[in-house]
Amino acid sequence: MKRILLPLLLIILISNISAIRINEFESNPEGPDTGNEWVELYDRGDIDLEGYKLVNNDGDEIVLSGSFSKYYVYTFDKQWLDNKDEGIFLYKDGELVDETDVVDDGANDDFAWSYCSKDWEFVEETKDGKNDCKKEEDQDESDSEIQLTNNVVQETPTAQPEPQVISLGAKDIKSEKDKKNLDKSDYALYGFIGFCILLIVLFIIKSTYNKNEFE
Ligand SMILES: [Ca+2]
Ligand SMILES: [Ca+2]
Ligand SMILES: [Ca+2]
């Protein structure tokens, strides 16, 4: 029983370990930035923000509080993120937990830097929701389709049995030729022998006839 319970307990513990990350941020929202910039955090479980703080690339700090599950959006009440060379760092109890790339957002629109499979992409913002990593997903899908097509092509059985190619090598050709030559010489030999036998028979008949004639 212990053998089953111990791994099960470990799995439960591991699955509950925090995996908080900075998921998206908008440093240049459409219109005025002041009061409209925001950062989105993500954690797959429930998390208490006690001890967490955000730090920007200039070293300014914001202490977080409260708790959340899945997505959490913090909207800055002042202009806190630069539109150039900006990045965000997440600390817990003084230790770095996560950080973004240092990037630019010169586009005064609803495109924001989003975490997409370990890379940061500048895509349409999805505040408080799953990031819209369409470009990457489309690419993955098209890659899958290409792979699938390739597999289909590769796995399609050939309906027509492959024609058996009989190749006659030089040796084979030579043998055939030799056989023909041999046949010819055989016929000549047999012909010659037959001819000789006929001559002998005629000679015997003639001798017999001559002998009878003289008797
Ligand atoms: Ca703006
Ligand atoms: Ca923007
Ligand atoms: Ca999002």
Side-chain angles (χ1 to χ4, degrees), residues 27-33 83 107-109:
S27 54
N28 188 1
E30 192 173 5
D33 290 0
N83 295 345
N108 181 40
D109 59 16

Side-chain angles (χ1 to χ4, degrees), residues 2-211:
K2 278 183 180 176
R3 286 182 180 178
I4 301 169
L5 280 176
L6 195 63
L8 200 66
L9 197 65
L10 279 171
I11 290 166
I12 292 167
L13 280 170
I14 288 165
S15 63
N16 280 336
I17 288 173
S18 166
I20 189 170
R21 68 167 185 253
I22 305 165
N23 201 51
E24 185 179 352
F25 66 99
E26 173 61 285
S27 54
N28 188 1
E30 192 173 5
D33 290 0
T34 302
N36 293 312
E37 296 171 353
W38 51 269
V39 61
E40 179 188 78
L41 304 180
Y42 174 82
D43 191 290
R44 64 186 169 206
D46 299 320
I47 190 153
D48 186 352
L49 286 171
E50 177 75 31
Y52 283 92
K53 67 178 180 185
L54 295 170
V55 179
N56 66 16
N57 211 27
D58 295 326
D60 304 324
E61 296 183 7
I62 286 177
V63 175
L64 300 173
S65 61
S67 62
F68 75 95
S69 177
K70 299 286 183 186
Y71 297 97
Y72 173 80
V73 175
Y74 184 94
T75 304
F76 304 100
D77 58 5
K78 56 181 181 181
Q79 195 278 314
W80 197 73
L81 294 168
D82 295 337
N83 295 345
K84 194 171 171 56
D85 294 330
E86 191 58 285
I88 304 175
F89 305 84
L90 180 67
Y91 284 86
K92 185 184 190 295
D93 299 329
E95 284 191 18
L96 184 66
V97 174
D98 194 21
E99 62 186 301
T100 69
D101 285 352
V102 174
V103 290
D104 300 340
D105 182 357
N108 181 40
D109 59 16
D110 62 351
F111 273 61
W113 283 100
S114 306
Y115 181 83
C116 296
S117 300
K118 297 179 183 175
D119 283 320
W120 284 88
E121 289 183 11
F122 192 60
V123 291
E124 203 164 340
E125 65 183 42
T126 55
K127 197 178 187 178
D128 202 21
K130 189 183 173 186
N131 291 351
D132 188 20
C133 304
K134 271 183 181 174
K135 192 178 168 188
E136 187 186 15
E137 283 170 9
D138 287 350
Q139 186 61 46
D140 287 347
E141 278 170 17
S142 60
D143 285 345
S144 303
E145 280 172 13
I146 290 164
Q147 279 184 341
L148 190 67
T149 311
N150 286 343
N151 287 341
V152 167
V153 170
Q154 282 169 2
E155 288 171 8
T156 302
T158 46
Q160 299 287 336
E162 283 188 18
Q164 288 191 341
V165 178
I166 300 167
S167 60
L168 288 176
K171 194 180 172 184
D172 298 324
I173 294 164
K174 194 181 171 188
S175 299
E176 288 290 316
K177 199 176 174 184
D178 287 346
K179 196 180 170 187
K180 280 180 184 174
N181 288 340
L182 186 68
D183 289 344
K184 278 183 183 175
S185 59
D186 283 352
Y187 293 142
L189 183 67
Y190 297 147
F192 178 72
I193 291 168
F195 182 67
C196 289
I197 290 168
L198 187 67
L199 280 179
I200 291 165
V201 170
L202 285 172
F203 182 73
I204 291 168
I205 290 168
K206 196 186 173 193
S207 300
T208 308
Y209 178 74
N210 289 340
K211 195 180 174 184

